[in-house]
Amino acid sequence: MRTLSSLGLLFSIATLLESAPTPLPIQSLDFSNVLPEHARRADPSLTGYLGAFFLGDKPSVYFYLSNGNNAVSFTALNKGNPVINPTKGTQGVRDPAIVTGGGDEAGRKWYIVGTDLNIGKTTWDAAQRTGSRGIFVWESTDLVNWNNERLVQVEDATAGMVWAPEAIWDAEKGQYLVHWASKFYPTSDPNHTGSPSAIRIRYAYTKDFKTFSAPQDYINKSPTNIIDLDFLPLGGKTYARFMKDETAKTVFTEISTTGLFGTWTRPGGSNAIIQSGVEGPAAYLDNQQAGKAHLLLDFYGSDGYRPYESTDIQGGKWTASDRASFPTNLRHGSILPINATFMSALSAKWG
Ligand SMILES: *[C@@H]1O[C@H](CO)[C@@H](O)[C@H](O)[C@H]1NC(C)=O
Ligand SMILES: *[C@@H]1O[C@H](CO)[C@@H](O)[C@H](O)[C@H]1NC(C)=O
């Protein structure tokens, strides 16, 4: 009886295995062959996320802290009041981006850069013809206190504006690559009353966010206008980048496995988009689930940022996340994964 039932069990398992769908080759489940180091390794020391945003019509920097290690659940710090109020330029900052220190500054220096634009004091037309040609910079050594406000001019008088600066540490260069969006007027049109170039992404290098190399084009898809570039490093020479097509009003992604100045391809083809009617993409890796990332997309005509997620970043596949715990009316900013030291320090100072 026992023998028979054992045989019966074996037979059932064999039948089950045969009738089950053909299992995928083992390599396709072993992400180490597919995904670079950074993307596949969740980091147990990271226990939450810090978000920096501007709100609706309020051009200051507002901080939000994740509720525990939930990547799409946030609470306002400082009782919903700004953490940084700009005092220079237009006295308004949009698009605040937290920059993680690299090289000697890794783990001990952070910057926030942002657009110098208080739209309440101007018009969208004037803001693009004769807007600020500087970027706001603040520094911190603890993510809690932000000092040394400055407004650094990065373009010459032919530029109509400098929008949505961000920066990424370029380990190969040993400097920060800073980028932003500008359009340009011919020198024969010093008052910028005529037709400009398409908006393109510009870049410069800096070691200190005080002096910058001469700016150059980074992405020029003329006649298409491009703004709001954001990088997601995936380890080694692999990067995802996200940007807004300001002509079609869509956000799309491109992938490079050959570095920041390598070959970028648009997964899904040249017309593939993630979402239309959005801007200000802000991407961050999940702290807990290897290979997963989040992407905030600013529904600028509606209720601001909504979270999207992907477990196929290089395939460019993004879907809307559950946003029941995600605050509304957060506008173009950025998210930084942080550890327990910073979670408690930020709560203690601004909670
Ligand atoms: C958090 O990161 C900082 C900077 O790298 C480090 O000094 C600190 O020890 C870390 N804290 C924890 C709990 O890992
Ligand atoms: C630019 O504007 C100034 C001041 O309004 C004016 O004097 C000048 O003639 C203008 N230049 C051109 C090339 O239109």
Side-chain angles (χ1 to χ4, degrees), residues 281-296:
Y284 51 106
L285 291 176
D286 192 273
N287 288 344
Q288 295 173 286
Q289 186 179 331
K292 180 175 181 177
H294 303 272
L295 178 68
L296 304 183

Side-chain angles (χ1 to χ4, degrees), residues 187-193:
T187 48
S188 57
D189 180 13
N191 293 343
H192 297 189
T193 53

Side-chain angles (χ1 to χ4, degrees), residues 63-84:
F63 276 5
Y64 282 69
L65 200 59
S66 65
N67 297 311
N69 213 350
N70 186 333
V72 293
S73 175
F74 284 84
T75 299
L77 291 181
N78 202 23
K79 301 184 168 61
N81 297 307
V83 166
I84 299 173

Side-chain angles (χ1 to χ4, degrees), residues 137-140 145-150:
V137 180
W138 292 268
E139 309 184 352
S140 179
N145 300 291
W146 292 86
N147 302 301
N148 301 328
E149 176 189 0
R150 51 198 183 263

Side-chain angles (χ1 to χ4, degrees), residues 45 106-108 110 339-342:
S45 78
R108 54 187 196 85
W110 292 265
N339 69 25
T341 305
F342 298 122

Side-chain angles (χ1 to χ4, degrees), residues 89-157:
T90 66
Q91 297 174 313
V93 60
R94 301 168 72 95
D95 321 319
I98 306 172
V99 182
T100 307
D104 290 348
E105 297 186 335
R108 54 187 196 85
K109 194 80 171 274
W110 292 265
Y111 300 88
I112 288 178
V113 296
T115 305
D116 174 23
L117 174 56
N118 188 338
I119 198 63
K121 294 180 178 173
T122 182
T123 65
W124 283 112
D125 184 62
Q128 297 180 65
R129 291 182 184 277
T130 55
S132 176
R133 292 182 277 112
I135 61 175
F136 272 122
V137 180
W138 292 268
E139 309 184 352
S140 179
T141 54
D142 56 13
L143 288 178
V144 172
N145 300 291
W146 292 86
N147 302 301
N148 301 328
E149 176 189 0
R150 51 198 183 263
L151 186 60
V152 188
Q153 189 178 309
V154 290
E155 291 282 10
D156 69 20

